[in-house]
Amino acid sequence: MSSPCEILLALPESQKTLAVHLAEQMAAEVWRIEDAYSRYSGNNLFSDLHASSGKKQQVNAETARLLNFAEQAWHLSDGLFDLTSGLLRKVWVFDGSDRLPDQSAIDALLPFIGWQKLSWQSAPPDARGEIKGGWLTLPEGMELDFGGIGKEYAADRALGMGLHLLEKVKQSFATEGNKWPGLLVNLGGDLACSGPLTKDKPWRVGVESLAVENTASLLLQVSRGGLATSGDSRRFLLKNGKRYSHLLNPLTGWPVEQALRSVSVAAPSCVQAGLVASLALLQAANARSFLTATGLKHWVLD
């Protein structure tokens, strides 16, 4: 996940063995998703998708759900949230320097960016409403990049894994008189939470300062659901006094103008929170009105 990750469990000392088992299984779920969809691995599901570019290929149920989510996000954002735009990383390196790519290099990539250029057909849901797979044709030269939704999805999945395992031992908790424990998954600041730390004590989460690394400007209380932060505090370029955010407009190939520096959003799930935070930054000058219209709790640093 290219970031510090942690799993926090509010379990009594008497349940240390269970806590270790839960943490190991939840972490394994995160690693499973990382191993499947990371673009940095040369032998995984992600690489298999791209090895068959130009051909119609069948994808599994999990990949189908992710592609359906990406397609919905693309429509909601009028094309600004686009899983095919990761190709722009070939010319943009947000390392805090002043090195901007040439327009010609950007122009060479734009023909290979645009969700509407690929062919995606989800299988119809079964009797239980579940999607079992689908068919994808990825044109040659195009790429998918699951980085925009991967961490948030992994956080939700890991939390679901923990809750599933706890359900199996729920009766033993009742006989021991222990309170139902809170679980929190933190993947680089994207959080999924099942409940408060204790009955009357929420988790406290810091939002990093824009000015000082590893220092919190906001301290939020989280009891349930997802929380995600998107911003440019660590990934940016600076040239002639102008700051260029790492958030790129797939239609132009350039960073979004007038984007907010940092947006945090609370939602029922981490993947929802992450999407709304990213969409807000993509809205540029209209970000605040967009966030208000969602009705979700949010916090802005700028």
Side-chain angles (χ1 to χ4, degrees):
M1 296 295 164
S2 301
S3 57
C5 302
E6 60 184 350
I7 295 171
L8 304 177
L9 308 96
L11 288 164
E13 183 66 25
S14 62
Q15 296 292 340
K16 184 176 179 179
T17 300
L18 173 61
V20 171
H21 176 67
L22 284 173
E24 288 177 345
Q25 295 301 308
M26 293 167 71
E29 179 68 358
V30 174
W31 281 115
R32 182 190 69 79
I33 294 167
E34 168 81 4
D35 290 343
Y37 296 102
S38 172
R39 65 173 181 263
Y40 299 107
S41 175
N43 184 24
N44 62 355
L45 187 150
F46 177 88
S47 61
D48 290 344
L49 289 175
H50 293 83
S52 298
S53 61
K55 303 176 183 177
K56 186 176 182 179
Q57 53 186 310
Q58 189 169 8
V59 303
N60 62 25
E62 182 172 50
T63 303
R65 291 193 298 270
L66 289 171
L67 292 176
N68 281 344
F69 181 82
E71 185 170 57
Q72 292 171 359
W74 180 76
H75 284 293
L76 285 171
S77 66
D78 292 327
L80 293 179
F81 189 97
D82 195 325
L83 246 60
T84 70
S85 65
L87 202 62
L88 290 167
R89 71 181 182 279
K90 292 186 175 182
V91 295
W92 286 99
V93 180
F94 294 96
D95 56 3
S97 70
D98 64 352
R99 295 187 295 272
L100 303 181
D102 293 332
Q103 183 64 53
S104 59
I106 296 173
D107 290 342
L109 294 177
L110 290 179
F112 302 99
I113 295 172
W115 180 269
Q116 74 280 6
K117 297 174 184 179
L118 58 77
S119 174
W120 165 240
Q121 181 184 358
S122 175
D126 62 16
R128 298 171 58 185
E130 296 180 357
I131 301 295
K132 295 299 185 181
W135 297 268
L136 171 71
T137 303
L138 186 66
E140 293 185 11
M142 290 185 67
E143 293 184 8
L144 294 173
D145 188 340
F146 292 91
I149 57 178
K151 277 197 303 179
E152 297 89 342
Y153 173 69
D156 286 334
R157 288 286 306 181
L159 181 65
M161 172 69 73
L163 292 174
H164 174 71
L165 294 173
L166 277 175
E167 189 66 31
K168 295 182 178 180
V169 297
K170 188 173 183 178
Q171 188 173 2
S172 66
F173 271 90
T175 57
E176 291 180 15
N178 293 319
K179 294 183 176 67
W180 190 245
L183 308 179
L184 186 144
V185 181
N186 175 12
L187 304 183
D190 294 328
L191 314 178
C193 175
S194 70
L197 177 62
T198 62
K199 182 178 180 181
D200 302 313
K201 185 178 181 181
W203 301 94
R204 299 200 303 168
V205 178
V207 178
E208 188 174 49
S209 166
L210 297 177
V212 184
E213 286 189 10
N214 301 317
T215 301
S217 284
L218 294 175
L219 194 60
L220 309 179
Q221 294 187 342
V222 180
S223 292
R224 191 174 301 277
L227 177 71
T229 298
S230 186
D232 70 351
S233 62
R234 299 201 178 196
R235 297 178 61 199
F236 63 93
L237 295 174
L238 189 64
K239 187 177 179 74
N240 298 328
K242 183 175 180 179
R243 189 181 184 93
Y244 293 83
S245 166
H246 76 283
L247 203 70
L248 297 170
N249 182 330
L251 305 179
T252 66
W254 280 83
V256 174
E257 297 278 352
Q258 296 180 288
L260 295 174
R261 294 287 310 281
S262 173
V263 173
S264 299
V265 176
S269 69
C270 187
V271 75
Q272 290 173 297
L275 176 61
V276 172
S278 295
L279 291 183
L281 294 185
L282 289 167
Q283 294 296 316
N286 298 319
R288 284 184 169 84
S289 59
F290 168 81
L291 287 166
T292 300
T294 67
L296 298 172
K297 289 185 178 181
H298 58 273
W299 300 263
V300 172
L301 297 176
D302 201 26

